[in-house]
Amino acid sequence: MKRIVVIGGGSGGVMFSNRMRGAFTPDEVEITVIERSEKHFYQPAFTLVVFDLDDPVNLMRPTKDLFFEGIKLIHDEATKIDAANNKVSTAKSGDISYDYLVIATGARLIFDEDPEGLKSALDKGTNTFNFYKLDGAIKLRDALKSLDGGTIVSSVCSMPIKCPAAPMKFIMMAEDMMREKGIRNKFKFIFTTPMPAVFSREPYASKLNSIFASRGIETVANFNPSEVDSDKGVLKDFGKKEVRFDTLTITPPHGGEAIIDNSEGVGDAAGWVTCDKNLMVSKKYSNVYGIGDATDFPTSKTASGIRKQAKVLVARLAADITGVPTKAAYDGEIICPMLTKNKRVMFAHFNYTEAISPAIESYANWVLKVHMLRPLYWNLMLNALV
């Protein structure tokens, strides 16, 4: 019997483990998941909460309820990977040995480094917000309802981040919200990005540039925030540029989890698991794999990507276990739904090399994103049915 240890019970850990459990019996493969949180959140709907398009009560389920029977779930924190000796150290459960390791630790939000003043500004909660956590999305939702004018800024500190389109969704939906309320002329909207442009992939980049220009949303490119002064309403960058705001929503820097830094040969300097971008296997250890936001794959960190990766990873591991070769490989495919205004969504669908979908806003895409994706996630994606 082969022993598979999965570190992380988020989207990647659940999708892989359940699909793997369906491929092999417990007598053939033992699957152990180490996850510290007892709650699992549907993160793609956090931006929906901001605009009252979903209820927070729909977005959380107990982690233990998500895994198929025959998967062992340990609520603990994995602290170190000894990949040379095939074991994982934990805070309370001792060392756990494996034949194969799957790292699904996700991305960590970093609030206590650059930009200076970020954490204190968010703690005050008067004019600076973050929707990458559910409580932050709720606070931002409530703040938006009371606004009657001013400059609203959406800022990205650094790349990569989870769902790169989310900060753009926010600024477009906020502009549309004020337009529908009849007070658009009382607001200014600014989007700052550390990238050279709003978006990096065509044809979506040109479409977004057109939307921003037609709706008067200003873009400040190559902007790397160095300081948030919430008292003065000023966001500064390392190049000495300044953007003034009345309401700021900021996407904090992201990095890998601390366990990656603590584990020799597993990750890079930023804490991302270093893997072959197609085969998903560690560049140093042949029995260590990465999935989801934890990895250094050169594509967006999204649940749609994880769904594709889970299928490939199960096929790769099954081939290794059974000795039957497979050509399964991850091509970087992701689908990123972008809310552009009320009742309109554009899907950015692409892989490592090419765009797959046209840059079209549609109501059908809105229905899928706003009304269908969450139940599809809970009932089908996590259960390895799609």
Side-chain angles (χ1 to χ4, degrees), residues 250-292:
I250 190 162
T251 301
H254 288 42
E257 288 287 351
I259 183 175
I260 308 304
D261 290 332
N262 296 338
S263 305
E264 184 178 351
V266 174
D268 60 19
W272 305 117
V273 183
T274 49
C275 295
D276 183 291
K277 69 177 184 178
N278 302 117
L279 305 183
M280 303 176 61
V281 66
S282 165
K283 291 182 177 178
K284 185 170 182 179
Y285 301 101
S286 62
N287 63 339
V288 175
Y289 294 80
I291 186 172

Side-chain angles (χ1 to χ4, degrees), residues 117-362:
L118 172 59
K119 188 176 185 304
S120 61
L122 291 171
D123 288 344
K124 289 177 185 176
T126 54
N127 61 359
T128 304
F129 305 91
N130 156 63
F131 54 74
Y132 272 73
K133 288 190 173 183
L134 182 55
D135 60 343
I138 294 170
K139 290 177 183 177
L140 179 56
R141 176 198 66 188
D142 296 342
L144 282 177
K145 291 178 179 179
S146 65
L147 295 182
D148 57 8
T151 299
I152 298 179
V153 175
S154 177
S155 179
V156 180
C157 288
S158 62
M159 298 295 284
I161 58 174
K162 296 186 286 185
C163 189
M168 290 174 274
K169 297 177 196 177
F170 167 76
I171 202 70
M172 288 187 286
M173 287 296 291
E175 191 274 342
D176 186 63
M177 175 184 182
M178 301 313 170
R179 188 179 299 275
E180 289 200 335
K181 290 173 70 172
I183 54 175
R184 172 64 178 86
N185 63 328
K186 296 183 179 181
F187 287 89
K188 182 178 182 180
F189 295 90
I190 301 174
F191 176 71
T192 83
T193 173
M195 305 296 287
V198 174
F199 202 68
S200 60
R201 298 293 295 262
E202 291 290 358
Y204 319 108
S206 294
K207 179 66 173 180
L208 287 166
N209 285 337
S210 175
I211 291 172
F212 275 41
S214 67
R215 291 165 54 181
I217 301 172
E218 179 184 345
T219 300
V220 182
N222 299 307
F223 189 95
N224 296 275
S226 62
E227 181 183 351
V228 179
D229 188 334
S230 60
D231 293 332
K232 295 181 179 179
V234 177
L235 180 65
K236 302 177 182 179
D237 95 322
F238 286 100
K240 307 301 182 183
K241 290 182 286 189
E242 292 187 357
V243 171
R244 297 194 172 273
F245 64 87
D246 296 292
T247 302
L248 170 66
T249 175
I250 190 162
T251 301
H254 288 42
E257 288 287 351
I259 183 175
I260 308 304
D261 290 332
N262 296 338
S263 305
E264 184 178 351
V266 174
D268 60 19
W272 305 117
V273 183
T274 49
C275 295
D276 183 291
K277 69 177 184 178
N278 302 117
L279 305 183
M280 303 176 61
V281 66
S282 165
K283 291 182 177 178
K284 185 170 182 179
Y285 301 101
S286 62
N287 63 339
V288 175
Y289 294 80
I291 186 172
D293 296 352
T295 66
D296 67 343
F297 300 150
T299 191
S300 298
K301 299 180 183 296
T302 69
S304 69
I306 293 169
R307 182 173 69 88
K308 299 288 185 179
Q309 293 164 23
K311 294 179 181 181
V312 172
L313 183 50
V314 168
R316 303 297 312 177
L317 274 172
D320 205 27
I321 291 169
T322 63
V324 179
T326 181
K327 294 183 179 180
Y330 178 55
D331 65 359
E333 183 181 356
I334 68 104
I335 303 173
C336 190
M338 299 185 187
L339 288 83
T340 57
K341 61 182 178 180
N342 188 37
K343 302 292 194 297
R344 290 294 181 270
V345 166
M346 177 176 69
F347 282 171
H349 185 188
F350 54 89
N351 59 27
Y352 289 138
T353 59
E354 63 183 355
I356 298 171
S357 70
I360 297 174
E361 303 169 83
S362 77

Side-chain angles (χ1 to χ4, degrees), residues 39-106:
K39 297 178 180 180
H40 181 105
F41 292 94
Y42 177 60
Q43 298 179 46
F46 288 178
T47 47
L48 299 183
V49 168
V50 173
F51 297 99
D52 261 341
L53 296 171
D54 210 337
D55 191 322
V57 300
N58 297 326
L59 309 187
M60 190 280 293
R61 291 191 180 179
T63 303
K64 63 181 178 62
D65 292 348
L66 303 179
F67 290 97
F68 287 177
E69 185 177 350
I71 296 172
K72 182 180 181 181
L73 174 62
I74 299 175
H75 279 303
D76 200 349
E77 182 171 8
T79 56
K80 185 178 180 180
I81 300 165
D82 182 354
N85 294 297
N86 297 335
K87 64 181 181 180
V88 177
S89 298
T90 66
K92 299 180 293 185
S93 306
D95 291 344
I96 300 174
S97 298
Y98 61 82
D99 296 302
Y100 298 97
L101 178 68
V102 175
I103 304 174
T105 45

